[in-house]
Amino acid sequence: MSFFNFDERLEALDKKALSEVAPIFEYVEGITEYNQQKVLKAFIDNRVSEADLGISTGYGYGDSGRDKLDSIMAACMGAEDALIRHSFASGTHTLTVALFGILRPGDKVLCLTGRPYDTIVGVFGIDGESDGSLRDFGIEYNEIPLLSDGTPDINSIKSELSWGKYKMAYIQRSRGYSLRPSLTIGKIKELCEAVKSVSPDTVIMVDNCYGEFVEKEEPCQVGADIIAGSLIKNPGGGIAPTGGYIAGKKKYIEMCANRMTCAGVGREVGATLGHNRELYMGLFSAPHVVGEALKTAIYSAKLFELLGFEATPKFDEKRADIIESIILGNSERLVAFCQGMQSGAPVDSFVIPEPWDMPGYTDKVIMAAGAFTLGSSIELSADAPLRPPYAAWLQGGLNFHSGKTGVLCAVQSMIDKGVLRI
Ligand SMILES: *Cc1c(COP(=O)(O)O)cnc(C)c1O
């Protein structure tokens, strides 16, 4: 490698890591091919035509490209129906629309996976602060803490649901900024079965962020009633410039559509303004791009293990999302890591990231994000809240070769700044 001056010892570790991850990459390829065929078949079955990639304006009545993409997304998620829109501002907004769409004053929600992702805390109103939260509208929130190994406490979940009369059970598939294991589809199935066995009418909602196309099945195929996620993560394939999706049972999707626009109008309106083409292309690329991101994560886990750090999941562990946490142990390493990764990005490589108070998050956060889409985390990126154990959450990589190079730049930066000796 002559374009980047990596330390010789680092290059040797790179080769060693690559040879050790080879069999795992083969496994990832199998999932990628399966999911790519699933998506391709959905495009074919829905008779996608050039006209569907066009522009609608104003009310967006009769935008067949928009409606077809809903149906393709439903097929990809193994769901009855779906809404996929550029007009969802973020993953949190998309999840919010689904929650407000389904819940009514007096309803109760039980979160089965401990404290939810930072930005969702305000949506439920768990901290009692945000105006306009579900709590403000009389929706009660409860949670079952995770067990000490970070897995859901099925016994407590069942006993709470058996007498609590909960309208919704909420599951977060990915770990977010925590070190608990992400939930595999197998684990989600077990949770769904537990819920339905004691409270069959409870709606099961899954925050599916970062999980799409990581396994062959999606949560709706194992018992979830409604799922939602962000298009600047997995299902946007690195091409969707913004947006989100909700998928699930038809009756719940209709309720979400009424909240997305207005009651009685629902999904009939919503101009796509020329974004159809990007959303189609993104979804089409998503299985492949997720595979590349998975390879980047697996490689990083191995490389950092060889460097003497703890990475979770381990390189050969079964994965449920595209996230890799690398425990760096102190803030100097964390900062050097993120600055190095930024220096290896295709966009804004010359920018030096610093820790800042990000809205919606409690601790200072440092981020490496040199992406084509602002905040996109299907592109190689790292987020790191400055709190013990000083872990970097690494995700994305539009292609493995650039992803890997970004990670090598992060290690080189730690060496150069004198916070890592190899
Ligand atoms: C990314 C993410 C969200 C949504 O976050 P946004 O930044 O609003 O897109 C929600 N839950 C989890 C677990 C996530 O990873």
Side-chain angles (χ1 to χ4, degrees):
M1 254 187 252
S2 51
F3 298 105
F4 293 83
N5 284 321
F6 295 128
D7 188 291
E8 265 172 33
R9 284 160 299 178
L10 179 55
E11 294 213 12
L13 286 179
D14 164 57
K15 288 204 175 59
K16 191 165 171 10
L18 276 179
S19 74
E20 290 191 36
V21 297
I24 319 290
F25 277 22
E26 218 168 286
Y27 172 77
V28 170
E29 290 287 344
I31 291 175
T32 302
E33 179 161 334
Y34 179 90
N35 284 326
Q36 191 64 64
Q37 290 189 353
K38 182 198 299 176
V39 173
L40 176 59
K41 188 66 165 51
F43 272 60
I44 294 166
D45 289 347
N46 281 276
R47 302 174 62 87
V48 175
S49 73
E50 198 187 343
D52 297 321
L53 311 179
I55 293 176
S56 69
T57 58
Y59 295 118
Y61 290 136
D63 186 327
S64 69
R66 179 194 66 206
D67 297 343
K68 241 181 229 185
L69 194 59
D70 283 347
S71 151
I72 292 169
M73 190 61 184
C76 293
M77 292 298 118
E80 287 176 15
D81 201 356
L83 298 165
I84 171 166
R85 293 289 182 285
H86 78 273
S87 48
F88 286 127
S90 64
T92 306
H93 178 213
T94 313
L95 288 156
T96 300
V97 168
L99 289 165
F100 275 92
I102 294 168
L103 297 166
R104 297 292 178 267
D107 282 346
K108 285 165 57 177
V109 183
L110 185 67
C111 182
L112 312 187
T113 44
R115 187 51 51 109
Y117 188 75
D118 297 42
T119 59
I120 306 297
V121 167
V123 176
F124 282 118
I126 299 169
D127 48 19
E129 276 172 25
S130 33
D131 231 359
S133 66
L134 286 159
R135 185 180 136 131
D136 275 359
F137 288 86
I139 292 150
E140 195 184 310
Y141 171 88
N142 262 316
E143 68 191 26
I144 302 291
L146 295 167
L147 296 169
S148 57
D149 65 355
T151 62
D153 181 351
I154 302 233
N155 290 335
S156 303
I157 288 168
K158 276 172 120 168
S159 72
E160 179 66 24
L161 284 171
S162 62
W163 62 274
K165 275 221 164 300
Y166 283 91
K167 173 69 177 286
M168 179 183 280
Y170 184 89
I171 297 169
Q172 184 180 306
R173 181 174 178 182
S174 178
R175 58 178 49 189
Y177 287 144
S178 83
L179 289 168
R180 67 139 165 119
S182 300
L183 299 180
T184 59
I185 289 294
K187 200 75 198 174
I188 291 172
K189 182 172 189 215
E190 203 182 309
L191 276 173
C192 291
E193 285 169 357
V195 172
K196 297 291 180 188
S197 74
V198 291
S199 185
D201 294 332
T202 297
V203 181
I204 302 175
M205 175 163 166
V206 175
D207 170 353
N208 204 30
C209 281
Y210 287 129
E212 300 89 354
F213 303 119
V214 170
E215 296 191 55
K216 289 183 179 175
E217 286 186 303
E218 298 292 338
C220 293
Q221 294 168 278
V222 295
D225 296 303
I226 191 99
I227 62 173
S230 164
L231 295 190
I232 62 169
K233 295 178 180 171
N234 306 15
I239 297 171
T242 182
Y245 77 93
I246 306 172
K249 297 241 169 79
K250 208 167 199 60
K251 63 176 172 182
Y252 299 127
I253 293 295
E254 289 306 325
M255 293 167 94
C256 295
N258 280 345
R259 172 71 197 198
M260 175 179 73
T261 64
C262 26
V265 175
R267 70 202 303 170
E268 302 300 324
V269 298
T272 51
L273 307 172
H275 291 299
N276 276 352
R277 185 170 174 276
E278 293 159 314
L279 267 54
Y280 271 95
M281 278 186 77
L283 183 57
F284 179 69
S285 294
H288 175 74
V289 172
V290 168
E292 297 295 286
L294 283 170
K295 287 193 234 170
T296 305
I298 291 160
Y299 166 85
S300 305
K302 187 72 224 181
L303 184 70
F304 275 86
E305 186 187 298
L306 293 173
L307 287 164
F309 292 96
E310 189 190 338
T312 84
K314 298 207 186 313
F315 81 101
D316 56 354
E317 231 172 287
K318 186 167 168 58
R319 278 166 198 268
D321 64 19
I322 61 167
I323 305 199
E324 186 64 42
S325 318
I326 297 164
I327 297 165
L328 294 169
N330 65 45
S331 60
E332 291 75 24
R333 287 203 200 108
L334 209 52
V335 171
F337 174 95
C338 289
Q339 292 180 344
M341 182 168 288
Q342 181 81 33
S343 76
V347 179
D348 288 337
S349 59
F350 50 86
V351 167
I352 299 171
E354 296 290 347
W356 65 300
D357 291 303
M358 191 180 165
Y361 297 84
T362 38
D363 296 281
K364 271 192 185 334
V365 176
I366 182 165
M367 292 183 163
F372 295 97
T373 294
L374 188 68
S376 166
S377 45
I378 186 63
E379 298 184 53
L380 183 68
S381 48
D383 310 273
L386 268 76
R387 63 183 179 216
Y390 300 98
W393 276 261
L394 166 89
Q395 65 268 317
L398 294 180
N399 60 71
F400 172 63
H401 301 288
S402 68
K404 182 190 110 158
T405 305
V407 172
L408 288 170
C409 287
V411 177
Q412 187 64 50
S413 154
M414 289 162 68
I415 298 170
D416 293 344
K417 293 188 171 75
V419 294
L420 172 68
R421 231 177 259 148
I422 63 171

